[in-house]
Amino acid sequence: MDAASIAKNLVGLQKQSFNSMMEATVLFQNQAERTRRLLANQMGSNEKAQAFADQWRTVFKNGRDDFSKLINEGYTCMEDYFAGLELKQPSKK
């Protein structure tokens, strides 16, 4: 196995690890949101507070999704770069 394929595999592993971490983060945040809604309904919070929390959640979710998309694009570029290096390797005859 040459250096380019090892680097490509390592980038793929890092990408998979990042995606797993983001999935866990999304699950945690969704559960926190369900808990917040349950507590807000039980405590009878006002409509303005709920609207503010919903706006904050939307902004946070969009930022999280944009961040994930940006990182994944970077990993894809790195994988493409190392895949190109693999193709340029001279054959060993």
Side-chain angles (χ1 to χ4, degrees):
M1 195 178 246
D2 61 339
S5 63
I6 291 171
K8 183 181 173 221
N9 288 342
L10 285 174
V11 169
L13 180 64
Q14 288 177 347
K15 182 178 180 180
Q16 183 180 10
S17 175
F18 174 78
N19 286 331
S20 295
M21 186 267 311
M22 286 303 294
E23 289 173 10
T25 301
V26 168
L27 287 173
F28 176 76
Q29 289 171 345
N30 288 342
Q31 183 61 40
E33 177 61 22
R34 284 191 290 272
T35 303
R36 184 201 63 82
R37 286 189 184 275
L38 178 67
L39 290 175
N41 288 338
Q42 288 179 353
M43 293 173 48
S45 65
N46 66 16
E47 306 256 338
K48 282 186 177 183
Q50 295 236 358
F52 177 75
D54 288 339
Q55 288 175 348
W56 178 81
R57 181 186 51 82
T58 301
V59 168
F60 191 77
K61 181 180 175 191
N62 290 340
R64 181 191 69 208
D65 293 343
D66 290 345
F67 172 73
S68 179
K69 182 180 174 186
L70 180 68
I71 296 297
N72 277 322
E73 287 175 1
Y75 280 131
T76 301
C77 288
M78 288 173 41
E79 286 176 326
D80 293 344
Y81 174 76
F82 288 119
L85 287 179
E86 280 182 320
L87 295 176
K88 293 179 183 178
Q89 293 293 326
S91 62
K92 297 177 183 178
K93 292 185 180 179

